[in-house]
Amino acid sequence: MGEITDLLGAALLLIGAGFFTAGSLGVLRFPDVYSRLHALTKADNLGLGCVLLGLAITASDAAVAGKLVFVWLAALVASATSCYLIGGTALRRAPRSGSGRSDAR
Amino acid sequence: MTSALAPIVAAYLVVTLVPVLVRMGRGPTTGDRMLAALLTGTTGVAILALLGRATGPVGALDAALVLCLLAAAPVIVFATRMAERERE
Amino acid sequence: MPAETIDILLAATLCLIAWRLLGDRDHVRAATLFIAFGLLLAIAWVRLDAPDVAVAEAAIGAGVTGLLFLDAAGRLRPRGDGRRRERPISGGRIVAGTAAALACAVGLTGAILALPGVTDGLRPLVAENVPRSGVEHPVTAVLLAFRAWDTLLEVAVLLVGIAGILAIRREWAVSMRARRAPDPLLATFARAAAPVLVLAAGYLLWLGSTGPGGAFQAGALLGALMLLLALAGVAGPARVPAAVQRAALGAGTGVFALVALGTAITDGTMLALPSGAAYELILTIETAVAVSVGAALGALVLAARPRRTGTAAPEGEEA
């Protein structure tokens, strides 16, 4: 495992952590469901992607790297579908503009 | 260096969970809470992957990782149920 | 040092979540926090070197139970909604409650501290006998070779549970039919995910003999598959007739019981697996149990769907 690869891996881990930070801060601070979803996808796709990629390129063998990539792809698809569903539900329950109303029960 | 960094990043990610949990508490809509749950799950996957590197290659981790993805299941069910209920 | 930091952070977060959700008036919020709690708990289990439990926690604790809570919460009215005035808790009760909680905490801490230091426990005994069990993974060996009887009963309990739920609904099987036109994205996702889930389940099942995995984890994935197919409305071509569903539910207990009976007859002791065929038998049992667990978990969640008004479920309703 070359020096450069190792360094790159570490850098990717840090970048990924950065995206996760952006994502969770966004989820907390953005004004409504839709913008929060936007923040969520950054963390989900790029954050997780960078972290797993960093681990994959510095993995001890190909099998581990393969598994990491697979997990990333699965997470990508699952989270995309879930976010789509959440967005759709929110849209049906509240007007597009403005923040979502609280649940009326 | 990556292996040394892994547990530190993992610990940091646990900290990034706090804003997400706050959002989960605040809502206001269930959709907000669902997306917070989703982010918790994804962060959990990242934490597990990093911990796996830190503690050495254990096949264990893959199983835990795959199942953390099952966090998407409540979201999907929730969304589908909401839609069903509106139709009824 | 970072390792301990993670543990401390996790423990603190878990306590905070638990504290927050227990007193919550909003049931939906509490249910969602419960899911988050389950996910973090799974990480804690991994930190405690118990990946098998971690997987079970993520699947069942966070996934299935959280899901059921969420669904139920959605139908309840929030507590203290004004229909019934809530009496403020008297000071005396608070004091008594705190005192009791403190006493428990002190007692538990004392008990834990009084335990002998880190010992090997049963580990040497298990390690010694694992080679004779037919599998390599100690957890699987314990579950399916040394304490197979317990596992058999657990699987039977699951069967009884789902049978009870079906009985309450007066149905013979759960309906997997879509309630509305399938959302195209969800349908595509379900179609793409289905073979992946099957493969992953098979992989986990097979992995169980050498590492964490096995019937229960595979079953959780299969249950998720069943759920996904039903909810996405793509169960059409894969619609499972009621009879098959019932067979799937009973398969685990059935096969297990058969093996138990067989060994009782040939060996005199139930579930004393012959060392030659132990691995094959364990694999067979695990496969059947995985199918059962999958069917049961799927049925458990699907059974919570409100019944469509006006339709009584006839026997053998197409599922």
Side-chain angles (χ1 to χ4, degrees), chain B residues 56-78:
Chain B
V58 183
L61 224 47
D62 309 315
L65 286 167
V66 170
L67 276 138
C68 236
L69 297 177
L70 283 193
V75 176
I76 295 181
V77 173
F78 151 75

Side-chain angles (χ1 to χ4, degrees), chain C residues 4-236:
Chain C
E4 278 84 48
T5 320
I6 299 179
D7 294 339
I8 296 175
L9 287 171
L10 267 177
T13 317
L14 282 171
C15 289
L16 279 170
I17 299 180
W19 177 272
R20 187 71 188 81
L21 81 87
L22 281 176
D24 210 334
R25 280 163 191 268
D26 183 346
H27 295 291
V28 175
R29 177 163 59 191
T32 323
L33 283 172
F34 180 79
I35 295 178
F37 183 81
L39 293 173
L40 292 183
L41 196 55
I43 302 180
W45 284 124
V46 171
R47 288 290 306 151
L48 287 171
D49 249 331
D52 304 73
V53 187
V55 157
E57 178 67 47
I60 308 304
V64 175
T65 316
L67 203 150
L68 287 173
F69 274 144
L70 196 59
D71 200 50
R75 300 180 212 194
L76 294 173
R77 245 171 300 184
R79 253 187 291 171
D81 60 351
R83 285 178 102 221
R84 212 183 37 189
R85 188 86 61 79
E86 277 204 13
R87 270 178 324 182
I89 306 179
S90 68
R93 270 187 173 180
I94 295 182
V95 170
T98 317
L102 275 177
C104 278
V106 168
L108 276 174
T109 319
I112 293 179
L113 289 177
L115 284 175
V118 178
T119 59
D120 282 332
L122 285 172
R123 208 179 284 204
L125 200 58
V126 171
E128 218 175 278
N129 287 292
V130 162
R132 295 168 52 195
S133 65
V135 294
E136 284 162 33
H137 186 50
V139 175
T140 312
V142 169
L143 283 177
L144 284 164
F146 307 148
R147 307 288 316 210
W149 183 232
D150 297 6
T151 314
L152 168 57
L153 291 178
E154 284 162 15
V155 176
V157 163
L158 190 58
L159 176 61
V160 170
I162 191 64
I165 292 178
L166 288 176
I168 290 180
R169 288 177 59 86
R170 280 184 241 143
E171 286 174 345
W172 285 104
V174 291
S175 165
M176 284 176 73
R177 261 219 320 230
R179 299 299 182 87
R180 51 195 265 271
D183 179 305
L185 189 82
L186 189 55
T188 313
F189 172 67
R191 288 199 188 98
V196 173
L197 283 172
V198 173
L199 278 176
Y203 169 67
L204 277 182
L205 187 62
W206 172 82
L207 192 65
S209 55
T210 50
F216 203 51
Q217 288 83 340
L221 285 179
L222 289 178
L225 171 64
M226 178 174 169
L227 209 50
L228 192 58
L229 288 179
L231 290 172
V234 294

Side-chain angles (χ1 to χ4, degrees), chain B residues 4-76:
Chain B
L5 199 54
I8 302 178
V9 176
Y12 174 69
L13 285 181
V14 178
V15 176
T16 60
L17 280 175
V18 175
V20 180
L21 292 173
V22 172
R23 171 52 61 207
M24 196 180 289
R26 282 204 205 155
T29 71
T30 312
D32 292 298
R33 304 211 170 93
M34 287 287 98
L35 74 87
L38 202 57
L39 188 52
T40 310
T42 315
T43 315
V45 173
I47 294 177
L48 284 174
L50 290 165
L51 286 179
R53 164 59 60 89
T55 62
V58 183
L61 224 47
D62 309 315
L65 286 167
V66 170
L67 276 138
C68 236
L69 297 177
L70 283 193
V75 176
I76 295 181

